[in-house]
Amino acid sequence: MRKPTDFVKDVTTTATFRQARTRKPGFDAERRNQQRFQRLNQDNPCCLNCGESNPCCLQAHHIAGKTYDDTLAELCANCHAKLSDTQRDHPAQITDPPNVIERAAHFLLGLGDLLLMLGAKCRDFGLALLEWAQGQLQGAPGNAVPAEGT
């Protein structure tokens, strides 16, 4: 039977191992960022949907799903989770391995999901821009909105 002090030793050993692992010489923030850039295959990646640019938040999303295609889109962890959850509702795989038509169909489904997400963001941005423009017209002298029929 183990003594209570054995558990303390295990925790201490694990903590010491973690500290040593994170303090490797030469494995600094810049190197981690370079590895992320290589993984994302970009020098200045950002989320296609929300614009997040912190490399530690970015992930590569398989548009059609890993089984069907290797085409990737850079997304932040939140946007990636949303799209991946939507992909789980796509129809199940028909053939193993998937044929060309099935692969194309899943790519189109995934691309449609991505475009719906981007479309909602574009719509929100367009409405915000119109609201800003209206505020600019109301606040600037000589920029009054013309009355109808003039």
Side-chain angles (χ1 to χ4, degrees):
M1 178 155 181
R2 295 184 76 183
K3 296 180 234 164
T5 55
D6 292 340
F7 291 107
V8 173
K9 288 177 186 173
D10 288 347
V11 170
T12 305
T13 304
T14 303
T16 304
F17 173 73
R18 285 188 186 139
Q19 289 170 353
R21 187 179 68 196
T22 58
R23 292 185 193 156
K24 287 182 184 176
F27 199 77
D28 57 1
E30 182 62 31
R31 183 170 172 190
R32 286 192 310 273
N33 279 340
Q34 288 304 319
Q35 289 174 338
R36 289 179 183 118
F37 293 148
Q38 287 176 347
R39 179 176 41 85
L40 294 168
N41 201 23
Q42 296 237 355
D43 288 335
N44 295 309
C46 69
C47 177
L48 291 175
N49 187 50
C50 70
E52 173 66 60
S53 61
N54 186 330
C56 68
C57 298
L58 298 174
Q59 301 173 345
H61 173 70
H62 288 83
I63 293 174
K66 289 180 189 177
T67 305
Y68 305 101
D69 194 55
D70 291 331
T71 305
L72 301 172
E74 285 80 27
L75 297 169
C76 70
N78 287 337
C79 294
H80 187 209
K82 292 173 189 175
L83 273 181
S84 293
D85 187 60
T86 303
Q87 267 183 346
R88 290 183 183 98
D89 295 330
H90 290 181
Q93 186 173 340
I94 300 169
T95 60
D96 190 23
N99 62 34
V100 173
I101 294 172
E102 185 177 8
R103 291 178 59 187
H106 278 275
F107 182 81
L108 290 173
L109 287 171
L111 185 59
D113 293 338
L114 179 60
L115 290 173
L116 282 173
M117 180 182 268
L118 292 173
K121 186 61 76 172
C122 287
R123 184 169 171 71
D124 291 344
F125 183 70
L127 291 171
L129 192 57
L130 287 172
E131 185 178 315
W132 178 82
Q134 184 68 33
Q136 290 294 309
L137 287 175
Q138 291 173 354
N143 284 337
V145 178
E148 282 192 44
T150 57

